[in-house]
Amino acid sequence: ADFCYDRYYCSSYSWGEKFPACHPVNGIHHSPINLDGNMTRNKSLEEIHLIGFDKAPPGQWKLRNTGYSVVLDLGSNLAVHGGGLPGTYRTVQLHFHWGDSTMNGSEHTVNGRRYPMEMHIVSIKSIYQNLTEAMHDPSGLAVLGVFIDVGDLDNENFTVISNLVPSVAYKGKSVAMKPFPLLNLLPAQNMSRFYRYHGSLTTPPCSQIVMWTVYEVPIYVSQQQIDAFAAGIYYSEEGANKTLLQRNFRHIHETFTREVYASRD
Ligand code: BO1
Ligand code: ZN
């Protein structure tokens, strides 16, 4: 594989050897970072407009195991703008980061705490055709981060994904999925509360081109739904020695002189 997580010779700490842009000495805009729950709030950061998220788009989506994550390709009917983002962004995919227990899993931390999972909704600035074009723009990508915490009940909205996860247990597997309103996967309340900062992709090539939005309020899923990922997804291909994909989060980076904004109180 190009890169991996967790094992000392290829954990995120060593990505910089093969991917210079991933080395923490190169630039001050790495992600993830620790978010401070006590920061001052910027009342002019309005809620982000989520275009098309309230209905099931036509066509089909595709869920796939990339060996690094479980990715849901979202077609071309969704977009985000506003909320302080410099332009409109086409929403292309979402994916997940998780751990090996409920003690870890998220990429961003809040006051040092890691949530059990983090979902990333990835959008490309709509003036660009693809990620390669967006790579030259420090705000080429907008990623919405949603923390996933453990609750007592199955999250019925999340079931549509967690029930399909066993179908993509091995690297390279994919399965078609019926589209649903993406709003179902977002926090039901307080979407106007989020963190905003300029950062990077959290996997190689670690490009420092991401306008990050991390929602303050988590969504809740059951332990079983978390285990579908943490105990059911392999980074090996079918038939090979089974190796679970766990702890697919990058280590925390320094904020340096960056401004980290928090939306209204
Ligand atoms: S993340 O949200 O910072 N974890 C993140 C990390 C890597 C990517 C996206 C988001 N990578 C790229 C893929 C491309 C793909 C693009 C948009 O996402 O490497 O192949 O086109 O889907
Ligand atoms: Zn991610």
Side-chain angles (χ1 to χ4, degrees):
D2 280 320
F3 66 95
C4 77
Y5 294 94
D6 212 31
R7 284 167 293 146
Y8 74 97
Y9 57 87
C10 61
S11 79
S12 64
Y13 287 96
S14 70
W15 290 348
E17 294 162 22
K18 270 196 195 164
F19 304 92
C22 294
H23 200 288
V25 300
N26 292 322
I28 62 154
H29 296 96
H30 291 278
S31 293
I33 60 171
N34 179 51
L35 301 165
D36 177 352
N38 301 315
M39 64 193 41
T40 47
R41 295 181 175 278
N42 175 348
K43 292 199 167 88
S44 68
L45 272 182
E46 300 289 342
E47 191 167 327
I48 298 172
H49 299 275
L50 305 170
I51 312 295
F53 282 46
D54 57 335
K55 47 187 181 287
Q60 272 197 340
W61 286 347
K62 192 156 103 182
L63 192 72
R64 55 195 172 96
N65 177 337
T66 62
Y68 310 116
S69 186
V70 170
V71 178
L72 180 59
D73 293 318
L74 294 170
S76 53
N77 298 284
L78 307 174
V80 301
H81 74 87
L85 294 173
T88 297
Y89 292 74
R90 220 163 4 95
T91 303
V92 293
Q93 55 112 315
L94 66 78
H95 62 268
F96 300 91
H97 300 265
W98 60 86
D100 55 9
S101 80
T102 48
M103 298 304 291
N104 57 56
S106 70
E107 297 218 286
H108 292 91
T109 56
V110 181
N111 298 327
R113 180 194 169 196
R114 254 183 223 287
Y115 285 88
M117 288 183 76
E118 187 171 328
M119 175 174 71
H120 290 156
I121 302 174
V122 182
S123 307
I124 301 177
K125 202 181 268 184
S126 55
I127 55 175
Y128 305 122
Q129 291 303 312
N130 51 50
L131 186 70
T132 314
E133 286 183 22
M135 286 289 187
H136 307 285
D137 182 339
S139 58
L141 247 61
V143 182
L144 310 182
V146 180
F147 292 121
I148 303 179
D149 208 344
V150 60
D152 292 334
L153 302 173
D154 277 345
N155 179 325
E156 299 296 342
N157 292 321
F158 197 76
T159 297
V160 293
I161 291 180
S162 55
N163 281 353
L164 275 184
V165 163
S167 312
V168 298
Y170 300 101
K171 181 178 180 177
K173 290 277 176 191
S174 67
V175 63
M177 175 168 197
K178 197 165 103 66
F180 59 88
L182 213 53
L183 214 51
N184 290 356
L185 290 185
L186 292 167
Q189 263 128 37
N190 286 316
M191 296 261 312
S192 59
R193 294 175 69 98
F194 56 81
Y195 302 96
R196 162 66 47 71
Y197 76 97
H198 181 217
S200 74
L201 299 178
T202 64
T203 65
C206 304
S207 320
Q208 297 173 33
I209 56 161
V210 180
M211 296 298 287
W212 275 98
T213 302
V214 181
Y215 288 105
E216 212 176 295
V217 176
I219 62 166
Y220 292 88
V221 307
S222 68
Q223 184 66 59
Q224 287 76 12
Q225 290 179 310
I226 294 171
D227 288 345
F229 292 83
I233 291 292
Y234 299 88
Y235 65 83
S236 51
E237 288 172 8
E238 191 166 17
N241 282 340
K242 284 188 170 189
T243 38
L244 278 175
L245 176 59
Q246 292 180 320
R247 302 173 60 97
N248 59 347
F249 54 87
R250 191 186 188 197
H251 63 282
I252 293 291
H253 290 260
E254 282 188 58
T255 303
F256 294 116
T257 54
R258 280 181 283 181
E259 299 275 15
V260 181
Y261 299 100
S263 65
R264 66 170 221 212
D265 46 20

